[in-house]
Amino acid sequence: MTLTILLFAQAKDLAETARCELELPAGATVADLRESLLARFPRLQPLSSRLLIAVNSEYVAEHVVLSPGSEVACFPPVSGG
Amino acid sequence: MTLTILLFAQAKDLAETARCELELPAGATVADLRESLLARFPRLQPLSSRLLIAVNSEYVAEHVVLSPGSEVACFPPVSGG
Amino acid sequence: MIQLTHEPIDYQASVERVRSHSAGAVLLFLGTVREMTQGRQTLALDYDAYPEMAKVQMQKLEAIARERWPIIELEIVHRLGHLELGDISISIAFSSPHRREAFEAGQFLIDEFKKVVPIWKQENWSDGTKEWVHQ
Amino acid sequence: MIQLTHEPIDYQASVERVRSHSAGAVLLFLGTVREMTQGRQTLALDYDAYPEMAKVQMQKLEAIARERWPIIELEIVHRLGHLELGDISISIAFSSPHRREAFEAGQFLIDEFKKVVPIWKQENWSDGTKEWVHQ
C-alpha cells in the first residue's frame, strides 16, 4: 500500500519536505513505517527515538497495523502553549 | 484608658452600632477587652468564640497588652473574595 | 497594586498592566456571584469591609507572595457594595516567568485572601431573608 | 470551544463568554512570549501546527477536563504564525462553581496541552539564529 506521510517542524526541515509517499507491505506496523521513513530520510536520524507518529490525528503504539487511506504524520515532541 | 472599638458585619448588626468606647484599666489585654465587650453587648455572645479582634490593622493574640490610641476592631470571621 | 472599589472591576485593565516581556505566564482569577449555594438561591450579595485594615492585609499578602514566587507584576482588586448575579467580586491578575509557579501563587493568593482580608458578604436569599456569610 | 487563529487573541471575549451565573470562579491563563530563556534573548517566536490533529487533541483535552472537574464553560485559543515579545500565544479561559477545582483544572489543561497538542515553536534568537523548541 502507498501511504502519504505529513512532516512537521524540525522533521519537515530535516527531510526538506512537508509530505512524502512511502510504499509499505500490507500488514505493516507503525514500527515498520518508522524504519522505512528513516531509511528514506537518513537526516531524520538525530530525531529518531524522539520522532512521534500519529495516525488519523491520534498517537499510536509501535505495534499498531497501518491501513491504506490512513492519514499518517511524523513530528518531533510538541512545544506549543 | 478609653479605647474606641470599631464593629463590622454581624458584630455591628448584633451590637446595633458601628463603634463604641470602652473604659479599660492600664495594662488591659485583648482578652480583657473581649470580656468587657461581651459584657457591654451580651447579644454578641453567639459569636463569642469566633469574634476576631484586630489592633492597628493586625490580628493579635489574646495576651497582647493594649495601648491608648490604638485602633481596635472587632468582627466575625471574614468572607470576602 | 491593590485596590478596593465600589465600581465594576475592569479586569482587562489589570491583565494589560501585569503583562510583561519578562513573563511567560499571566494568570487571572475572578470570583463571581454564583446563583446557587448548597441548594439555596441567591439574588444578590452585599460586600462590606474594614477598608484600612483590608488594604494593610492585601499589601501583606502581596509581599508574602512576592517572597515565595517570582511574581513580576500583580494586581488585586476587590469590589464592595451591592453585587448582582454574575458580577465580579474579586480580580487577581499577575505575571510570572513560568506557568507552574503561577498556579501555586494564584491558589495561595485567593485562599489566603479569604482567610485574612476583613471583607464580609451578606447573602440576599430568594426567600427575602438576608444572612451574613461567615465561613 | 477550541480555536486556532493567526490573529491576536481576544482573551476578554473568551472570559466574557465563559462567565456564568452558575460560576463562583473564572480562571484565565495566558501564555506570553518571554524575552529571556535560560540566559538567551529571544526576538520573536514562530508557531507552526498540524491543525487538524491539534483540533482533535484540543477537543479531547476539553472532554477529559470536563469529566474530571465541573467545568461550566471553557475556551482554549492558540495563536499560530509570527509572535513578537509579550504577544499572547495561548489563552485558556473557563468557569467553575468553586475556586479549588479551577486551579487544578487550569494546571492540568496547560500541562497536558503542552504534551499532546501538535504545535511547535521556533525561537528567533537575538544572535540571528533560529531553533525549533522540543521540550
Side-chain angles (χ1 to χ4, degrees):
Chain A
M1 60 183 166
T2 307
L3 282 174
T4 301
I5 323 291
L6 307 176
L7 297 144
F8 293 96
Q10 201 177 7
K12 176 177 71 182
D13 287 1
L14 291 174
E16 295 177 324
T17 182
R19 59 192 301 148
C20 70
E21 299 204 331
L22 283 182
E23 192 57 39
L24 289 168
T29 63
V30 170
D32 298 331
L33 178 135
R34 180 187 297 276
E35 198 178 322
S36 173
L37 199 65
L38 287 167
R40 170 81 160 272
F41 301 109
R43 297 187 57 194
L44 288 179
Q45 208 66 53
L47 274 179
S48 153
S49 65
R50 307 174 69 209
L51 218 49
L52 301 172
I53 291 173
V55 177
N56 297 329
S57 294
E58 295 291 350
Y59 295 99
V60 286
E62 294 291 303
H63 60 78
V64 166
V65 174
L66 297 161
S67 313
S70 289
E71 180 171 293
V72 180
C74 169
F75 46 78
V78 305
S79 58
Chain B
M1 61 184 165
T2 305
L3 281 174
T4 300
I5 322 293
L6 308 176
L7 296 144
F8 293 96
Q10 202 177 7
K12 177 178 70 181
D13 288 1
L14 291 175
E16 295 177 324
T17 182
R19 60 193 299 148
C20 68
E21 298 203 330
L22 284 183
E23 191 58 37
L24 290 166
T29 64
V30 170
D32 297 332
L33 178 134
R34 181 188 295 276
E35 198 178 320
S36 174
L37 199 64
L38 287 167
R40 169 80 162 272
F41 300 110
R43 296 188 57 193
L44 288 178
Q45 207 65 53
L47 273 179
S48 154
S49 66
R50 307 174 69 209
L51 218 48
L52 302 173
I53 290 173
V55 177
N56 296 330
S57 294
E58 294 292 349
Y59 295 99
V60 287
E62 293 293 303
H63 61 77
V64 165
V65 173
L66 297 161
S67 312
S70 288
E71 180 171 293
V72 180
C74 169
F75 46 77
V78 304
S79 60
Chain C
M1 200 270 274
I2 61 105
Q3 198 193 339
L4 296 175
T5 177
H6 281 78
E7 303 302 314
I9 294 176
D10 183 354
Y11 64 83
Q12 192 184 22
S14 280
V15 169
E16 290 305 309
R17 279 191 292 262
V18 303
R19 285 175 66 180
S20 160
H21 287 189
S22 312
V26 172
L27 201 72
L28 171 71
F29 173 84
L30 300 177
T32 59
V33 179
R34 191 181 55 232
E35 185 166 15
M36 301 303 293
T37 297
Q38 294 172 331
R40 290 187 79 182
Q41 190 186 15
T42 298
L43 298 180
L45 289 178
D46 288 290
Y47 280 90
D48 195 10
Y50 174 13
E52 295 77 12
M53 180 171 171
K55 285 179 197 162
V56 167
Q57 293 297 323
M58 286 163 80
Q59 262 146 5
K60 247 175 105 166
L61 202 53
E62 171 170 356
I64 294 170
R66 285 182 178 279
E67 264 175 39
R68 293 197 191 172
W69 294 282
I71 289 167
I72 299 163
E73 300 289 345
L74 171 72
E75 274 198 37
I76 305 179
V77 186
H78 199 294
R79 187 171 165 192
L80 301 175
H82 188 74
L83 274 71
E84 305 284 348
L85 292 183
D87 282 354
I88 298 168
S89 53
I90 185 169
S91 164
I92 299 179
F94 61 94
S95 52
S96 65
H98 301 283
R99 72 184 186 283
R100 186 155 303 274
E101 62 234 25
F103 288 97
E104 280 180 23
Q107 182 134 25
F108 170 83
L109 283 164
I110 182 64
D111 286 352
E112 284 298 301
F113 190 103
K114 284 174 169 271
K115 283 182 205 156
V116 302
V117 180
I119 296 177
W120 302 269
K121 63 178 165 231
Q122 196 170 29
E123 291 276 7
N124 294 236
W125 297 114
S126 60
D127 62 10
T129 59
K130 288 191 172 200
E131 188 181 358
W132 286 105
V133 180
H134 298 138
Q135 281 151 339
Chain D
M1 197 269 274
I2 60 105
Q3 198 193 340
L4 296 175
T5 178
H6 281 77
E7 304 302 315
I9 294 177
D10 183 354
Y11 64 83
Q12 192 186 22
S14 280
V15 170
E16 290 304 311
R17 279 190 293 261
V18 303
R19 284 174 67 181
S20 160
H21 286 188
S22 313
V26 172
L27 202 72
L28 171 71
F29 174 84
L30 301 177
T32 60
V33 179
R34 190 181 57 232
E35 185 166 17
M36 301 304 292
T37 298
Q38 295 173 331
R40 291 187 78 182
Q41 190 186 15
T42 299
L43 299 179
L45 290 178
D46 289 290
Y47 280 90
D48 195 9
Y50 174 14
E52 295 78 10
M53 179 170 172
K55 284 179 196 161
V56 168
Q57 294 295 324
M58 286 164 80
Q59 262 146 5
K60 247 175 105 165
L61 201 54
E62 173 172 354
I64 295 169
R66 284 182 178 279
E67 264 175 40
R68 293 196 191 172
W69 295 280
I71 289 168
I72 299 165
E73 300 289 344
L74 171 72
E75 275 199 35
I76 305 179
V77 186
H78 200 294
R79 186 171 167 194
L80 302 176
H82 188 73
L83 274 71
E84 305 284 347
L85 292 184
D87 282 354
I88 298 167
S89 54
I90 186 170
S91 164
I92 298 179
F94 62 95
S95 52
S96 65
H98 301 282
R99 73 183 187 283
R100 186 155 304 275
E101 62 233 24
F103 287 97
E104 280 181 23
Q107 182 135 22
F108 170 83
L109 283 164
I110 183 64
D111 286 352
E112 285 299 300
F113 190 104
K114 285 173 168 271
K115 283 182 204 156
V116 302
V117 180
I119 296 177
W120 302 268
K121 63 176 166 235
Q122 196 170 30
E123 291 276 6
N124 295 238
W125 298 115
S126 60
D127 63 8
T129 60
K130 289 192 172 198
E131 187 182 355
W132 286 105
V133 180
H134 298 139
Q135 282 151 339

